[in-house]
Amino acid sequence: MSSLSARLTLVIATLGLAAAGTAAWMSWQNRQEMRAGMKELAALSVRPALMVQADARPGAGLYLSNQGVGPAVVQEVRMALAAPDGTLTWMGYPDAANGANLNLWQFLGLPSVNEGLPEGVAAIAAPPQAGTIYGPGQGADLIRFPPVGQLPAEWRSANETAADAALQGLMLCVTYQGLDGNAYRLDRGGLCTREITDKDRRYTGSAP
């Protein structure tokens, strides 16, 4: 075999190896993309999506619901109220620091919200505890005021304006997890991106 023929054979063999390597790499890349796509589709098929609706009118309140396609497991709940100077009063529910059974109505500045109501009628406040599971389409009232027909005029004059201000100003951060293993956040008022500062306050069972 001449020197030229040998070189041509080597070039052809090298090109063949390169083509085979490229084909193998492209096949591997396609498999990786398919795996990633399947993983993403699987995650989408079980992804939860907690949402909150706020309405301070009688009969309404603060409603938390799962509008996703998989169950949501609550990990942590944080709440805060902003002061006129921009500082926050924080509250974890329950407060891990002291284990207190915290009074949400007191935190909101409505400690007497259930005074003067007819027997069997009450305004409720029940933030979700860690470990609570909401399936797709399920929800719960975090805050609920009685219907207008059950509210005496004295109650409305004493509480309605304050209740509206408290509900509209309540900041909320709920961290929850889906079956895909990912953590998600429901953020009302930008609380999830805030950190407590030395000027803020922490509610620990007494009025802020």
Side-chain angles (χ1 to χ4, degrees), residues 39-192:
K39 186 176 181 181
E40 185 174 349
L41 285 174
L44 287 172
S45 69
V46 295
R47 182 170 294 175
L50 289 184
M51 305 184 85
V52 67
Q53 296 170 293
D55 188 341
R57 291 176 300 180
L62 197 69
Y63 183 72
L64 180 70
S65 63
N66 181 4
Q67 300 300 312
V69 293
V73 183
V74 174
Q75 305 293 308
E76 181 187 17
V77 180
R78 292 191 299 166
M79 300 180 182
L81 292 172
D85 63 359
T87 61
L88 298 180
T89 299
W90 293 75
M91 173 175 162
Y93 204 95
D95 191 313
N98 58 20
N101 185 16
L102 303 181
N103 186 332
L104 181 56
W105 288 130
Q106 190 177 41
F107 171 72
L108 292 173
L110 296 165
S112 305
V113 71
N114 279 306
E115 292 181 6
L117 290 176
E119 185 176 352
V121 177
I124 69 165
Q129 303 294 308
T132 300
I133 301 174
Y134 294 100
Q138 293 182 340
D141 290 317
L142 307 188
I143 295 173
R144 181 64 50 175
F145 301 102
V148 65
Q150 299 179 357
L151 294 175
E154 295 81 5
W155 187 96
R156 297 189 67 176
S157 62
N159 294 289
E160 201 164 47
T161 300
D164 181 71
L167 189 61
Q168 298 306 325
L170 180 63
M171 303 169 72
L172 180 68
C173 178
V174 181
T175 303
Y176 58 100
Q177 191 173 41
L179 289 181
D180 55 4
N182 292 324
Y184 302 92
R185 283 177 170 178
L186 164 65
D187 190 353
R188 184 175 192 245
L191 186 63
C192 291

